[in-house]
Amino acid sequence: MRTRTVTEPRFRAETTALLARLGPAAPISDYGTLLADRAEQADPALAGRTDPEVQVADLYLPARHGPVGVRWYRHHATASPGPVLLWLHGGGFIGGAAADIDHVCSRLAHHAGLTVVSLDYRLAPEHAYPAALLDTCDALRWLADHGAAIGGDGRVAAGGQSAGAALVAGACLLARDHHLPSAACQVLCYPVLDFGQDTESARLFDGVFHSIKPGSWAEQHYLAGQPVTAYAAPLRAASLAGLPPALVIGAGRDPLRDDARAYAARMDADGVDVTHVEYDGTMHAFLNFCGALSAGDHAIELVAAELRARFAGPPNL
């Protein structure tokens, strides 16, 4: 396993200032608050802005339960078909939207030189598990089979942030087990990989920007009383052998820090080609705050470099 810790005093100082500005974590605890939270638009001063050299369009992809919305990004200079990156936002499985991460996806499209498709998967409590997972699997399958319609050449990577990273990890496991189209590689940014963790990072950092205490309102409404399988909690998989190559990005001041470390270590032990990078001074969801946290753009460029390396050369026909 290739592992790296990014230690940059500026990243830590910016994170400390933003945490002070945002105040204590306030988990969603009722439906009305959730709807109000969903209605808030991302502040460009915090989230960053769409790259002006990237085309953006809102589309729908077919899925088993009806069309699912996506936001499509492609650099103006990209002319020929190429790889497609399926990307999923975070939000605890109950919130978030593709529009929240325009900066991330447009910059990935620019720096990696590929088409990015940002998925507006279905959210709980309206659509409990496994709705979002099925949307992710359906999007992967459609992009593998029909991606040429939106600029693809048959090669598909998948990645995401937080809950979105969990869905990508779960979809890769499900694709392996059921011989479905999968990603050529996966990018997991501070992924949610289990529930009810008792790790050092959970004890140290729970409440820093967000909380992962067991039995939260979001967890209850996402799982809706269903048994927790490895597709919902990938750390519970018996084996991670046979999964696509992975880049796992963790945050040092995140209660989920140790889950990212553990998942990368398990993939490595099971023979998966994996790179683990930890931004030691940053917090969970730091890619959502690229306007205030320069670690975000640093990570975007790191992901783009990984994707360029993975997709160097023409597709295998």
Side-chain angles (χ1 to χ4, degrees):
M1 177 173 67
R2 296 172 298 279
T3 186
R4 174 185 171 197
T5 301
V6 178
T7 302
E8 169 57 63
R10 175 172 49 117
F11 296 168
R12 177 175 290 276
E14 289 171 350
T15 299
T16 299
L18 180 61
L19 287 169
R21 175 179 174 183
L22 296 175
I28 300 293
S29 58
D30 64 85
Y31 190 57
T33 302
L34 173 61
L35 292 179
D37 185 72
R38 287 181 185 172
E40 288 188 13
Q41 301 294 312
D43 179 359
L46 291 177
R49 291 173 168 77
T50 305
D51 189 311
E53 297 184 39
V54 171
Q55 298 171 276
V56 183
D58 290 325
L59 310 171
Y60 287 92
L61 301 185
R64 72 192 74 187
H65 297 293
V68 59
V70 298
R71 185 160 285 190
W72 173 92
Y73 304 82
R74 190 174 173 90
H75 191 267
H76 292 301
T78 305
S80 59
V84 174
L85 171 63
L86 176 67
W87 196 262
L88 277 67
H89 64 81
F93 306 104
I94 61 171
D100 295 343
I101 53 171
D102 278 336
H103 178 89
V104 174
C105 292
S106 63
R107 297 291 284 174
L108 283 171
H110 187 159
H111 288 294
L114 43 65
T115 298
V116 176
V117 174
S118 184
L119 184 67
D120 262 324
Y121 54 87
R122 288 173 292 166
L123 300 172
E126 298 92 339
H127 305 284
Y129 175 83
L133 178 65
L134 297 179
D135 288 347
T136 307
C137 293
D138 290 348
L140 273 173
R141 175 180 289 183
W142 190 91
L143 291 171
D145 293 342
H146 306 289
I150 58 168
D153 65 4
R155 294 177 291 174
V156 182
Q161 303 164 221
S162 191
L167 296 171
V168 168
C172 288
L173 282 166
L174 195 149
R176 179 200 65 181
D177 294 346
H178 297 275
H179 309 291
L180 301 173
S182 190
C185 60
Q186 53 182 322
V187 180
L188 311 177
C189 300
Y190 35 82
V192 180
L193 297 168
D194 206 346
F195 301 94
Q197 303 94 312
D198 181 21
T199 60
E200 181 185 52
S201 61
R203 293 188 292 272
L204 286 174
F205 302 115
D206 195 77
V208 176
F209 181 72
H210 76 135
S211 174
I212 61 168
K213 281 190 170 60
S216 69
W217 190 91
E219 178 186 318
Q220 291 177 35
H221 285 81
Y222 175 61
L223 297 174
Q226 300 171 81
V228 181
T229 69
Y231 305 130
L235 263 174
R236 302 190 187 189
S239 171
L240 303 180
L243 289 177
L247 170 62
V248 180
I249 295 179
R253 296 161 75 178
D254 181 359
L256 296 174
R257 179 200 68 190
D258 292 350
D259 290 14
R261 291 178 179 178
Y263 202 64
R266 283 197 55 201
M267 281 195 284
D268 180 61
D270 287 341
V272 178
D273 179 5
V274 58
T275 299
H276 174 243
V277 181
E278 184 171 290
Y279 285 78
D280 75 336
T282 54
M283 66 189 202
H284 188 78
F286 69 91
L287 283 166
N288 279 64
F289 298 97
C290 290
L293 302 178
S294 50
D297 279 319
H298 188 283
I300 289 170
E301 292 178 16
L302 184 148
V303 171
E306 175 81 5
L307 293 169
R308 288 196 306 270
R310 291 286 179 193
F311 291 120
N316 294 321
L317 300 177

